[in-house]
Amino acid sequence: MTDIGFLNDRFMSLEEVKISPDDRGFQFGDGVYEVVMVYEGKPCLLQEHLARLEHSAQGIRLTLPYTPAEWEQRILEGVKRCGYQHCKVYIQVTRGIVPRDHLFPGQCSPTIFMSFREMTPLDENLRQRGVKVITVPDIRWGRCDIKSLNLLPNVLGKQQAKEAGAFEAIFIREGVVTEGTSCNVMIVRSGVIHTPESNHHILEGVTRKILLDLAKKEGLSVCERTIKAKELFEVDEIFLAGTTIEVMPVVAIDEKPVGTGQPGPTSQQLSASYQDFLSRLV
Ligand code: PDD
């Protein structure tokens, strides 16, 4: 079992992967990406991730080189080659290699990179105990629905969170909650789950969608709407949702307790439902 790479239609060791400094991903962040988890050898919600990759690519006017079936075939091959039952697949497509110029290149083919790495499981104590978050201004561009390589505000936000002893930073744009630096945000008020509506200011998370569907199936009310930042300090529960963290209860925000200061019942219920959903996928 070993971590492996894939570059422009060829599998190789990660050490072998060499990317030119003229790659537009390196020069401009001119590309898009996805992160897919593999459980028991099966890529989780792959079609949903591939559909979003297509959405992101269209958003930056980049034509993907593979159809979903061609992606799937290569991803399954990568999973087989790395040999891990549980692993993390990173997919990145950039506009290609060409001497630096802001304009789109006339002739150039996209750079396709994937890595297949062993999954380091999240510390379950975190989920049991819940995590702290901070709020930070959302200084990102106006197309956060595109999963682009331009992640500097996300990097800065996450680092600020770490330095404040927190797990994640929640972005606030003009007084309104958008999302975490690498996850979506949900709140619970009087038993109803609320989450920011999908628009250009958030990434429409694959996990977010599954959780909303699961909640509805379980008879919980859900409401997608604008959430004011100040509401975060009045709610019963907050939880984070994303591919790598699944469901993560938040117990403190900007050093103030959320609800009782313990993971709340709805977060715990949905976390269990999501685990059950994942176990039924494999
Ligand atoms: N991030 N919002 C942002 C800004 C994200 O970066 C992510 C995922 C999500 C949640 O999306 P999903 O449920 O589809 O994973 C929301 C990935 C995991 C990352 O950048 O590593």
Side-chain angles (χ1 to χ4, degrees), residues 184 186 195-196 198 202 205-212 224:
N184 291 113
M186 303 204 179
T195 195
S198 55
I202 69 161
V206 170
T207 319
R208 169 188 183 279
K209 165 128 195 343
I210 299 294
L211 290 178
L212 292 180
E224 295 176 59

Side-chain angles (χ1 to χ4, degrees), residues 254-268:
D254 290 342
E255 298 296 343
K256 292 172 200 74
V258 174
T260 60
Q262 300 290 323
T266 308
S267 314
Q268 285 173 313

Side-chain angles (χ1 to χ4, degrees), residues 33 35 52 147 179-184 203 205-207 242-244:
Y33 77 101
V35 179
R52 189 171 60 194
K147 208 163 169 49
E179 60 186 337
T181 68
S182 61
C183 59
N184 291 113
L203 184 78
V206 170
T207 319
T243 295
T244 43

